[in-house]
Amino acid sequence: MNIGYYPGCALHGSSDDYEESLRACLRALDVQLQEIDEWICCGATAAHALNQKLSTALPARNLALAERGGFGEMLAPCPMCSMQLIKAQKALAGNEGLRREMSGIVELEVRGTTRVLNLIQVFEQVGLDRLKAALKSPLKSLSAACYYGCLLTRPPDVVEFDDCEQPRSMEAFLTALGAKTVDWSYRTECCGGGMTLASEETVLDLSHKILSNAAAHGANCLVVACPMCHVNLDMKQPDIERRYGVRHGLVIYYLSDVVGMALGLPESALGINRHFVGKA
Amino acid sequence: MSRIGVFICWCGENIARTVDVDALAQEVSKFPGVRCAMNYKYVCSDPGQALVREKIAAEKLDAVVIASCSPHMHLKTFRRAAQLAGLNPYKVEMANIREHCSWVHHDRAKATAKAASLIRLSVEKARLDHELQPIRVPVTRRALVIGGGVAGIQAALDIADAGYEVVMVEREPSIGGKMAGLSETFPTLDCSQCILTPRMVEVGQHPRIKLYSYSEVERVEGYIGNFTITIRQKARYVDISKCTGCGDCWSVCPLKRNKSEFDYGMGVRASIYVPFPQAVPARPVIDAKTCAKIIRNGCGLCEKKCKAGAINFQDTDKLVEEKVGAVVVATGYKLYDIGEKQDKASLAGYGEYGYGQYKDVIDSLQFERLLSASGPTNGVLKRPSDGAEPKNVVFISCVGSRDNAKGLPYCSKICCMYTAKHAMLYKHKVHDGQAHVFYMDIRAGGKGYEEFVRRAIEQDGAKYYRGRVSKITQEDGKLVVRGADTLAGVPITVEADLVVLAAAMRPADGVAELAQKLNVGYDEFGFLLESHPKLRPVETNAAGVFVCGACQAPKDIPESVAQASAAASKVAVTFAADELMREPEIAGINEQTCVACYACLRACPYHAIEQAEVRTPRGVFVKHTARVNPGLCMGCGTCVAVCPSKSADLEGFTEQQIYAMVESLV
């Protein structure tokens, strides 16, 4: 399988462990990722709040680049990016006038024909059967809380992925790979996202609640598919523990980490050794 | 040559303001076939009608055109006037120069010219009108009531008390419907079962009511006055004519842990069971899905124990026919399914509330069972997860109602009231408990309703927050309910032991299929359509079929009962005459030219066309043909439009008339 790949700023910066992990994992499953040439910002942070036109034009340029590369499908592992890209793609596909306007602005013809996928959808394309066949070391020791965060399933009419309030798609993979999953309440709560800089307290409070609820329901690790969630739950975990005087000690895995582990890849190849919270 | 009289109405100012009625009368009097034309301030008034009658006699008119309002308004009035003057009432035509002309135009000259054209059309039609006679059909004075909830019970008793026989069909093993499961009823807090069960017993014992419980309507044939209903009696495995209702069978049944449908899963029942102690008929039914004898030829204890020999494991569904003259539909409602399974793509469920995931998140009917003295907890309030007494209960209203995004756009009307009742009854049972209510608006229109809600707030201390709940999570054994108080402008969190969701009301399952059998319309949500929302609220567009209760729209018990009595009185009106009169403006098939392609039969929305044979007086077969059943035809004209051999035509609206009208304009 050969698909386009839009890393976005996170996977080339603070979360390059995520990129390392998903590249290693997908390589083992024979999925070739081809990075889009000359990709630019997805427009998620500032543009999205300040300027409607810019917040369509930025993802439109990326979609145009993907179309130029001939990609019918493109992985955008960061849910902020995929939400932005899908929103633009849907708007473009349904509006001739907008297509013309945006093609002018981004100086490339854009049609909105590339389908944007999140990481779970790529694994769904690989299929549970193939994953089970490639299973080398079942994840027997994991009791995982699958954490989708606020954006992976929302807004539901944009991303059209899983049940937006009670998603179950990650659990299906974890169960197939021999892990236990816990039934918990904070699957789709917000971790605080980009509030780290503006109000760290908010991030610590929200992430603390997520970690506490996962632990209370018997989880020994969390599995995420969002770089921002990973930063808040993993890197900030020592700060959370200090602030609230508790010890969570919960390992935060990317979905590709646990799939890679099940396929028999070493933790170092998946970048897991670079996480802040190590094995309990 | 025709002798047509044209009467132009001013409708006070309504028409005369925009249309020059004097000039119009002058012009119209020159139309071919018009004997006289005049205008009058109110033709519908007594002197106006007298003028029409007088002119019919004096001018020997053979047809009349009234140029006034819509025929919906006054066609019957003018037909009656013509009949009094000795003119066949079907020789009256109306030209609508009010709604179609004066009300929608400003330019006086143009409006007057348009009114002249409209009258010209009606004159052309009147020239070709035939004398028609109303169709008389015999009537079977016996009614079918579908559904044995409070509406069906009320309708059946009213009809039976008026002296007519009633056949009642209820698909559950007992009548009583939703109301039988309720605890107490707003705004008087009388015990639901105490007021309903005597009525149920009356139905069971009434000499003129024949009850088919655990049965469904399979097929409907015929028309007003003459319906033939096929009823499917579902296999009950218990012969209720032998059974004494002693209860030996269900006490001996070893499979006692089946979820009780009557308790909405809050309680359990055996595999042979009566849904509740006051059931009518008080006879058990065997649940074939769980009974060990039926599934794998095991057990059979109930059969051994039954002294009356009433158990019959070989029972099968039976079809029986009943003849009736009118039908009352009272199939009631169900609640919006809050969980993940939905029957329509537009309904998304409410995953954020965790219904079906958290045991202590329940819907309002389940809460009724927990409150009910005859419920699974004998009226002691225990939460489902661990049986503890809940000290904080959150009630969320409008779950599925007034929600265009993932629910239904309409207001379910009764939830504000029963939620106030829930908060009140909860406080009466748990004195140190606290009820919290999240609401959008409090809609408490009705006698004593607003006062009732105030009582819940002021005397029983329910806390009301205007706002929605965004999420319910489970933490440390508590349900953490997060929502907004939009009046205070703050987010709020309530730690609850029990959450009750006031789910939207939807029509009961299967109502669309039933409506199709009865040729009754229904709206996009499945609620049955009345013929006119104000003036014909219990009639439907299928003659002889009436509706009442929550199958027509969300409504509470007082309204359902009132509507049921209204439907019953309409049935009594139908049965009052020796023969029923139907309007003669129906379709007919020219059997000489019909090629028996039956395009009309397939197109007819009322199933009024049948296959027939043309035979000589001696019975020799000549040809096949389509034939219209005059009892069923509603005169819509669809058959006329589809007939390729032009053999179908509509009395009172013939093709010849329509062509004449069109030709007069071009």
Side-chain angles (χ1 to χ4, degrees), chain A residues 81-205:
Chain A
C81 302
S82 55
M83 188 266 284
Q84 276 292 106
L85 290 162
I86 294 169
K87 201 160 67 179
Q89 182 259 322
K90 286 193 168 164
L92 289 164
N95 186 339
E96 165 80 45
L98 186 70
R99 282 201 293 275
R100 236 178 291 130
E101 185 190 1
M102 286 299 148
S103 299
I105 294 174
V106 307
E107 297 175 350
L108 264 181
E109 199 207 335
V110 59
R111 289 169 312 201
T113 49
T114 301
R115 192 169 161 241
V116 180
L117 305 175
N118 65 38
L119 183 61
I120 303 169
Q121 287 168 313
V122 172
F123 283 127
E124 279 173 352
Q125 292 206 350
V126 170
L128 275 179
D129 294 340
R130 260 189 70 197
L131 275 176
K132 275 191 213 160
L135 179 62
K136 289 220 179 71
S137 42
L139 306 166
K140 279 183 198 145
S141 63
L142 294 192
S143 177
C146 293
Y147 176 61
Y148 297 78
C150 58
L151 272 177
L152 202 57
T153 61
R154 295 194 187 98
D157 46 341
V158 172
V159 297
E160 293 184 89
F161 174 69
D162 209 338
D163 182 321
C164 75
E165 297 290 350
Q166 302 285 1
R168 287 285 187 282
S169 46
M170 274 207 262
E171 274 87 344
F173 289 105
L174 273 283
T175 315
L177 299 175
K180 277 199 296 291
T181 59
V182 302
D183 207 3
W184 65 310
S185 301
Y186 275 63
R187 278 192 184 81
T188 57
E189 295 308 290
C190 175
C191 67
M195 293 293 281
T196 300
L197 298 177
S199 164
E200 195 188 18
E201 265 179 41
T202 307
V203 171
L204 298 182
D205 178 43

Side-chain angles (χ1 to χ4, degrees), chain A residues 189-229:
Chain A
E189 295 308 290
C190 175
C191 67
M195 293 293 281
T196 300
L197 298 177
S199 164
E200 195 188 18
E201 265 179 41
T202 307
V203 171
L204 298 182
D205 178 43
L206 293 173
S207 294
H208 171 60
K209 283 183 179 154
I210 292 165
L211 294 169
S212 307
N213 192 268
H217 285 83
N220 63 10
C221 66
L222 271 78
V223 178
V224 304
C226 169
M228 191 61 84
C229 297

Side-chain angles (χ1 to χ4, degrees), chain B residues 612-627:
Chain B
E613 290 172 354
V614 179
R615 288 180 182 271
T616 63
R618 290 187 168 183
V620 181
F621 172 79
V622 179
K623 63 179 291 221
H624 291 287
T625 183
R627 193 168 285 161

Side-chain angles (χ1 to χ4, degrees), chain A residues 9 41-51 55 58 80-81 84 194 228:
Chain A
C9 57
C41 171
C42 70
T45 48
H48 148 81
L50 296 173
N51 185 327
S55 84
L58 287 166
M80 284 278 249
C81 302
Q84 276 292 106
M228 191 61 84

